[in-house]
Amino acid sequence: MIALSAFWIWMLVDCAKRISRGDTKQVGWIIAIALTHWVGALAYFFFGRSSSPPTHT
């Protein structure tokens, strides 16, 4: 359970970092991840993340 929660938090943070690039679809992903916990995080990991890393501002 701890590993799944850590993965969930990691995906939320990763998605939030990508919003700063102006990627508006990430807002929908954050909502999906928050509401579905690790299932949404797993879906985001495989389908929502782009190959480019988030930019840091």
Side-chain angles (χ1 to χ4, degrees):
M1 291 303 292
I2 293 171
L4 288 175
S5 293
F7 178 69
W8 178 67
I9 291 169
W10 175 37
M11 290 297 102
L12 275 172
V13 169
D14 180 73
C15 190
K17 286 180 182 179
R18 293 171 192 271
I19 288 177
S20 65
R21 291 192 311 186
D23 195 354
T24 56
K25 70 178 179 177
Q26 298 305 93
V27 175
W29 273 112
I30 283 186
I31 293 169
I33 294 168
L35 293 177
T36 60
H37 200 65
W38 64 270
V39 175
L42 195 61
Y44 173 73
F45 183 78
F46 287 111
F47 304 113
R49 295 176 74 200
S50 63
S51 59
S52 62
T55 58
H56 301 282
T57 56

